[in-house]
mmCIF file of all heavy atoms in Angstrom:
data_model
loop_
_atom_site.group_PDB
_atom_site.id
_atom_site.type_symbol
_atom_site.label_atom_id
_atom_site.label_comp_id
_atom_site.label_asym_id
_atom_site.label_seq_id
_atom_site.Cartn_x
_atom_site.Cartn_y
_atom_site.Cartn_z
ATOM 1 N N SER A 69 -20.911 19.072 17.523
ATOM 2 C CA SER A 69 -22.111 18.402 17.093
ATOM 3 C C SER A 69 -23.351 19.289 17.330
ATOM 4 O O SER A 69 -24.470 18.946 16.833
ATOM 5 C CB SER A 69 -22.291 17.121 17.818
ATOM 6 O OG SER A 69 -22.386 17.291 19.185
ATOM 7 N N SER A 70 -23.298 20.331 18.034
ATOM 8 C CA SER A 70 -24.353 21.278 18.241
ATOM 9 C C SER A 70 -23.823 22.735 18.353
ATOM 10 O O SER A 70 -22.654 22.975 18.715
ATOM 11 C CB SER A 70 -25.178 20.932 19.484
ATOM 12 O OG SER A 70 -24.330 21.006 20.639
ATOM 13 N N GLU A 71 -24.674 23.625 18.065
ATOM 14 C CA GLU A 71 -24.328 25.030 18.080
ATOM 15 C C GLU A 71 -25.382 25.840 18.715
ATOM 16 O O GLU A 71 -26.641 25.388 18.766
ATOM 17 C CB GLU A 71 -24.040 25.535 16.661
ATOM 18 C CG GLU A 71 -22.804 24.955 15.987
ATOM 19 C CD GLU A 71 -22.599 25.507 14.670
ATOM 20 O OE1 GLU A 71 -23.165 26.530 14.304
ATOM 21 O OE2 GLU A 71 -21.806 24.977 13.925
ATOM 22 N N ASN A 72 -25.082 26.941 19.261
ATOM 23 C CA ASN A 72 -26.038 27.816 19.955
ATOM 24 C C ASN A 72 -26.845 28.580 18.849
ATOM 25 O O ASN A 72 -26.208 29.084 17.905
ATOM 26 C CB ASN A 72 -25.492 28.756 20.820
ATOM 27 C CG ASN A 72 -24.939 28.060 22.122
ATOM 28 O OD1 ASN A 72 -25.533 27.058 22.457
ATOM 29 N ND2 ASN A 72 -23.910 28.572 22.673
ATOM 30 N N THR A 73 -28.103 28.874 19.132
ATOM 31 C CA THR A 73 -28.958 29.711 18.204
ATOM 32 C C THR A 73 -28.872 31.120 18.738
ATOM 33 O O THR A 73 -28.297 31.348 19.825
ATOM 34 C CB THR A 73 -30.365 29.219 18.123
ATOM 35 O OG1 THR A 73 -31.029 29.283 19.438
ATOM 36 C CG2 THR A 73 -30.398 27.745 17.558
ATOM 37 N N TYR A 74 -29.549 32.029 18.042
ATOM 38 C CA TYR A 74 -29.538 33.392 18.546
ATOM 39 C C TYR A 74 -30.151 33.528 19.876
ATOM 40 O O TYR A 74 -29.726 34.285 20.768
ATOM 41 C CB TYR A 74 -30.381 34.199 17.517
ATOM 42 C CG TYR A 74 -30.507 35.682 17.986
ATOM 43 C CD1 TYR A 74 -29.367 36.561 17.797
ATOM 44 C CD2 TYR A 74 -31.666 36.248 18.494
ATOM 45 C CE1 TYR A 74 -29.532 37.828 18.308
ATOM 46 C CE2 TYR A 74 -31.799 37.514 18.874
ATOM 47 C CZ TYR A 74 -30.700 38.331 18.823
ATOM 48 O OH TYR A 74 -30.826 39.642 19.192
ATOM 49 N N GLY A 75 -31.184 32.801 20.180
ATOM 50 C CA GLY A 75 -31.935 32.737 21.429
ATOM 51 C C GLY A 75 -31.212 31.966 22.535
ATOM 52 O O GLY A 75 -31.643 31.940 23.663
ATOM 53 N N GLY A 76 -30.055 31.402 22.294
ATOM 54 C CA GLY A 76 -29.300 30.706 23.328
ATOM 55 C C GLY A 76 -29.592 29.211 23.384
ATOM 56 O O GLY A 76 -29.039 28.424 24.169
ATOM 57 N N LYS A 77 -30.572 28.725 22.572
ATOM 58 C CA LYS A 77 -30.912 27.369 22.629
ATOM 59 C C LYS A 77 -29.947 26.523 21.791
ATOM 60 O O LYS A 77 -29.227 27.180 20.914
ATOM 61 C CB LYS A 77 -32.335 27.107 22.067
ATOM 62 C CG LYS A 77 -33.347 27.692 22.909
ATOM 63 C CD LYS A 77 -34.776 27.460 22.366
ATOM 64 C CE LYS A 77 -35.890 28.036 23.169
ATOM 65 N NZ LYS A 77 -37.146 27.801 22.635
ATOM 66 N N LEU A 78 -29.827 25.326 22.058
ATOM 67 C CA LEU A 78 -29.040 24.421 21.200
ATOM 68 C C LEU A 78 -29.759 23.999 19.975
ATOM 69 O O LEU A 78 -30.817 23.480 20.004
ATOM 70 C CB LEU A 78 -28.498 23.233 21.888
ATOM 71 C CG LEU A 78 -27.559 23.462 23.077
ATOM 72 C CD1 LEU A 78 -27.205 22.178 23.762
ATOM 73 C CD2 LEU A 78 -26.281 24.100 22.548
ATOM 74 N N ALA A 79 -29.089 24.104 18.776
ATOM 75 C CA ALA A 79 -29.697 23.636 17.578
ATOM 76 C C ALA A 79 -28.862 22.484 17.113
ATOM 77 O O ALA A 79 -27.674 22.515 16.975
ATOM 78 C CB ALA A 79 -29.658 24.754 16.556
ATOM 79 N N LYS A 80 -29.533 21.375 16.910
ATOM 80 C CA LYS A 80 -28.883 20.148 16.499
ATOM 81 C C LYS A 80 -28.861 20.092 15.024
ATOM 82 O O LYS A 80 -29.785 20.395 14.339
ATOM 83 C CB LYS A 80 -29.618 18.862 17.027
ATOM 84 C CG LYS A 80 -29.615 18.802 18.526
ATOM 85 C CD LYS A 80 -28.270 18.231 18.942
ATOM 86 C CE LYS A 80 -28.368 18.055 20.426
ATOM 87 N NZ LYS A 80 -27.176 17.568 21.068
ATOM 88 N N TYR A 81 -27.730 19.764 14.369
ATOM 89 C CA TYR A 81 -27.591 19.639 12.989
ATOM 90 C C TYR A 81 -27.356 18.193 12.647
ATOM 91 O O TYR A 81 -26.436 17.542 13.111
ATOM 92 C CB TYR A 81 -26.481 20.490 12.395
ATOM 93 C CG TYR A 81 -26.684 21.909 12.596
ATOM 94 C CD1 TYR A 81 -26.128 22.712 13.569
ATOM 95 C CD2 TYR A 81 -27.601 22.598 11.734
ATOM 96 C CE1 TYR A 81 -26.333 24.079 13.738
ATOM 97 C CE2 TYR A 81 -27.843 23.921 11.918
ATOM 98 C CZ TYR A 81 -27.166 24.709 12.888
ATOM 99 O OH TYR A 81 -27.417 26.053 13.059
ATOM 100 N N SER A 82 -28.167 17.647 11.717
ATOM 101 C CA SER A 82 -27.985 16.238 11.368
ATOM 102 C C SER A 82 -27.013 16.117 10.208
ATOM 103 O O SER A 82 -26.711 14.927 9.818
ATOM 104 C CB SER A 82 -29.361 15.723 10.919
ATOM 105 O OG SER A 82 -29.908 16.353 9.821
ATOM 106 N N ASP A 83 -26.510 17.208 9.733
ATOM 107 C CA ASP A 83 -25.494 17.097 8.532
ATOM 108 C C ASP A 83 -24.303 16.260 8.863
ATOM 109 O O ASP A 83 -23.930 15.338 8.059
ATOM 110 C CB ASP A 83 -25.094 18.548 8.140
ATOM 111 C CG ASP A 83 -24.159 18.443 6.912
ATOM 112 O OD1 ASP A 83 -24.559 17.810 6.027
ATOM 113 O OD2 ASP A 83 -23.155 19.117 7.026
ATOM 114 N N LYS A 84 -23.783 16.395 9.966
ATOM 115 C CA LYS A 84 -22.593 15.654 10.407
ATOM 116 C C LYS A 84 -22.911 14.235 10.663
ATOM 117 O O LYS A 84 -22.144 13.316 10.237
ATOM 118 C CB LYS A 84 -21.910 16.297 11.686
ATOM 119 C CG LYS A 84 -21.372 17.629 11.302
ATOM 120 C CD LYS A 84 -20.516 18.231 12.424
ATOM 121 C CE LYS A 84 -20.118 19.555 11.905
ATOM 122 N NZ LYS A 84 -19.186 20.185 12.668
ATOM 123 N N SER A 85 -24.117 13.934 11.164
ATOM 124 C CA SER A 85 -24.472 12.495 11.307
ATOM 125 C C SER A 85 -24.732 11.808 9.977
ATOM 126 O O SER A 85 -24.476 10.689 9.737
ATOM 127 C CB SER A 85 -25.630 12.322 12.239
ATOM 128 O OG SER A 85 -26.743 12.906 11.748
ATOM 129 N N GLY A 86 -25.228 12.635 8.993
ATOM 130 C CA GLY A 86 -25.486 12.184 7.679
ATOM 131 C C GLY A 86 -24.140 11.895 6.934
ATOM 132 O O GLY A 86 -24.042 10.932 6.277
#
Side-chain angles (χ1 to χ4, degrees):
S69 62
S70 61
E71 294 183 10
N72 290 328
T73 63
Y74 177 74
K77 294 182 180 179
L78 289 178
K80 298 278 184 182
Y81 292 102
S82 61
D83 180 53
K84 291 189 182 184
S85 63

